Amino acid sequence: MSSSLKTFLQYMFILAATALLIWFSLRGLHVAEGENKWDYLKHTWDSAHKGWLLLMAVIAMASHVVRAERWRMLLTPLGESPKLSHSFFSLMVGYLVNLVIPRGGEVSRCYNLYKLDKIPVEISFGTVVLERIVDVLCLLILIAFSFILESQKLFAFIETLPIGQGDHQSKYTVLLYLVGGLVVLGSVGIWFVRKNKKMNAWVMKTWHGFKDGVLSVFKLKNKGLFIFHSVLIWLLYFAMSYAVIKAFPATSELGFHAVLSLFAIGSIAMAAPLPGGTGSYHVLVPQGLVFLYSIPQSDAVAFTFIFHGWQTFIMIVAGAISLIATSFLVKRGPVSSSKEIQPIKE
């Protein structure tokens, strides 16, 4: 089977899984007899307070600017100095790609930055991996904080999810086969690289650049500022959730604890390997609203579709503008002060 066919089948599987989850979520949207579900969603949108939704859009853009600045901070110790606008455009292009190819945006934003500032992809990708590690730590802290405040409700909610069920022995067998397969593939890959001099040179060059990117945090002059930016990003994410929850009549009375719990559930759902978290988000968040805070099922599903749809619309618009801006800047010629690519020292 060709690699292109494998890639096509993989994307078809992801899209099918996404469609299935959306269909499963829409099943929970119960409307009056003779009423159309899409009309109900439109009614939910019409009833929303547009001022809160616009505020959410502004906060979202602010969070992306802060994230772009944090990315620049990690690249500076490595001798690279991209413009803030360039890192922002690259970040938004990455988000746009993520809506189609799960996690594909992590690589595409590095390539986009290379087109603008000639920063080697392996170096910038190393900093992206570091960013993801920091974000996972922030998410784990947030989840722990949520469980401290709402432990009884959240543990009860987890018990309602279809996880952790089934034959444990069969799960361990599958895990063993997966680990064994990875070990075999890894061993074959290492043997092939060592036998091929050109491939070995490319892998070593990529590895050194990637390693420099990951370790760039230890070279920061102001680590406190990096931590501040990381915390600010997640505070802005939380503020986005709060603004949207306040925008809809069915959820506007929910308090701080509820917003925190739903934000944690939504963040976990968005981490699923689906385009933009589509599908997983539409299943978990409505369940949380219904089970934890007794929001009517139809209102919970409609709220989730509008929330995620509005957020996706913002990403599409900002990503498309960033893609056009990148194309214009690349055609205009080099405008940054980035230096020539230096060979990576062994």
Side-chain angles (χ1 to χ4, degrees):
M1 186 183 294
S2 65
S3 58
S4 58
L5 180 58
K6 288 181 180 179
T7 302
F8 173 78
L9 291 176
Q10 179 184 8
Y11 292 156
M12 288 300 100
F13 174 78
I14 291 172
L15 290 174
T18 300
L20 179 64
L21 287 170
I22 291 177
W23 172 81
F24 180 78
S25 178
L26 270 176
R27 286 179 58 198
L29 183 58
H30 302 293
V31 296
E33 186 176 352
E35 187 177 9
N36 185 282
K37 290 185 177 183
W38 296 109
D39 289 338
Y40 187 85
L41 290 174
K42 182 179 183 300
H43 170 72
T44 304
W45 167 259
D46 291 338
S47 65
H49 193 293
K50 302 306 186 293
W52 281 109
L53 292 178
L54 289 174
L55 177 61
M56 178 266 191
V58 172
I59 296 173
M61 287 298 101
S63 71
H64 300 327
V65 171
V66 175
R67 180 175 285 278
E69 175 59 24
R70 188 183 68 170
W71 192 18
R72 289 180 69 243
M73 290 177 61
L74 291 174
L75 290 166
T76 300
L78 303 176
E80 308 294 349
S81 54
K83 289 186 174 182
L84 176 59
S85 58
H86 291 182
S87 60
F88 176 78
F89 291 152
S90 300
L91 180 68
M92 298 314 301
V93 168
Y95 283 146
L96 184 64
V97 172
N98 270 340
L99 295 176
V100 181
I101 306 173
R103 303 295 172 254
E106 316 300 358
V107 177
S108 63
R109 69 154 151 156
C110 297
Y111 178 68
N112 198 82
L113 191 63
Y114 171 78
K115 291 196 297 182
L116 290 169
D117 287 295
K118 300 304 177 186
I119 297 175
V121 173
E122 64 270 16
I123 292 178
S124 59
F125 185 68
T127 61
V128 170
V129 171
L130 174 60
E131 277 193 313
R132 286 291 167 256
I133 294 173
V134 173
D135 287 338
V136 168
L137 291 175
C138 291
L139 179 59
L140 291 176
I141 293 172
L142 174 70
I143 292 173
F145 188 52
S146 301
F147 273 89
I148 291 173
L149 294 179
E150 296 278 67
S151 58
Q152 187 174 358
K153 288 185 176 181
L154 287 173
F155 277 120
F157 172 67
I158 290 175
E159 290 296 324
T160 68
L161 300 177
I163 57 177
Q165 302 174 2
D167 185 3
H168 288 286
Q169 185 175 358
S170 63
K171 290 181 179 179
Y172 289 134
T173 302
V174 172
L175 180 61
L176 183 62
Y177 279 125
L178 286 174
V179 173
L182 289 174
V183 170
V184 172
L185 287 175
S187 301
V188 173
I190 292 172
W191 175 84
F192 177 76
V193 168
R194 286 182 174 177
K195 288 292 183 180
N196 190 309
K197 290 184 178 180
K198 289 184 177 181
M199 179 64 71
N200 185 59
W202 179 83
V203 168
M204 292 304 298
K205 175 179 179 294
T206 302
W207 164 248
H208 283 295
F210 175 79
K211 183 179 66 174
D212 287 342
V214 172
L215 298 178
S216 63
V217 68
F218 298 107
K219 301 176 183 179
L220 288 172
K221 292 183 179 180
N222 193 339
K223 295 181 177 63
L225 187 60
F226 176 81
I227 295 173
F228 170 76
H229 278 78
S230 300
V231 172
L232 181 58
I233 288 169
W234 284 86
L235 287 176
L236 290 170
Y237 286 170
F238 177 83
M240 287 167 54
S241 297
Y242 181 82
V244 173
I245 284 175
K246 286 297 180 183
F248 294 89
T251 57
S252 61
E253 299 302 319
L254 295 179
F256 173 82
H257 289 191
V259 177
L260 183 62
S261 298
L262 292 173
F263 177 61
I265 294 171
S267 298
I268 295 171
M270 291 293 284
L274 294 169
T278 305
S280 55
Y281 193 88
H282 295 80
V283 171
L284 284 180
V285 174
Q287 281 187 260
L289 284 168
V290 172
F291 183 83
L292 297 177
Y293 305 107
S294 302
I295 301 296
Q297 178 76 19
S298 297
D299 290 339
V301 173
F303 162 82
T304 305
F305 267 83
I306 298 300
F307 183 177
H308 189 269
W310 177 241
Q311 191 173 17
T312 302
F313 174 76
I314 294 170
M315 287 186 182
I316 290 174
V317 172
I321 293 173
S322 298
L323 198 60
I324 294 171
T326 296
S327 178
F328 172 76
L329 291 172
V330 170
K331 288 180 179 178
R332 195 177 67 174
V335 293
S336 72
S337 59
S338 293
K339 59 185 182 307
E340 294 290 328
I341 303 176
Q342 299 296 328
I344 300 174
K345 297 181 180 180
E346 299 288 337

